Amino acid sequence: SYALLGSLIELNWSSMHKLMKARGLIMAERSVRLWPESALAWQSRGYVRALAGLHELAIADFKKAESLK
């Protein structure tokens, strides 16, 4: 996952971690748009949002995924 890679390289002296997290957010958003009734898509977006520091949005995604199960 791009977001995980972004978290792993966050301590490097470049801004590449921001790019990786942004790419992860784009891919996760795309999966939710393509499969809005998939709990896995919502869980994945929640995971990416949590790694990107968007905790409240991540919790909302996890709640949505739970309602779809």
Side-chain angles (χ1 to χ4, degrees):
S1 160
Y2 287 110
L4 181 58
L5 180 59
S7 294
L8 292 174
I9 64 172
E10 194 166 10
L11 298 177
N12 291 350
W13 287 15
S14 73
S15 59
M16 184 64 77
H17 68 96
K18 293 179 183 178
L19 172 70
M20 292 298 155
K21 289 178 184 177
R23 186 171 289 193
L25 287 167
I26 291 169
M27 299 300 286
E29 185 66 33
R30 182 181 294 171
S31 70
V32 168
R33 299 280 177 162
L34 288 173
W35 303 289
E37 298 300 319
S38 169
L40 180 60
W42 288 93
Q43 288 171 338
S44 298
R45 190 172 80 170
Y47 175 73
V48 170
R49 284 180 167 182
L51 288 176
L54 305 170
H55 301 122
E56 290 180 14
L57 294 173
I59 291 170
D61 284 347
F62 291 134
K63 287 180 181 178
K64 174 69 175 180
E66 189 64 32
S67 73
L68 291 173
K69 288 184 178 182

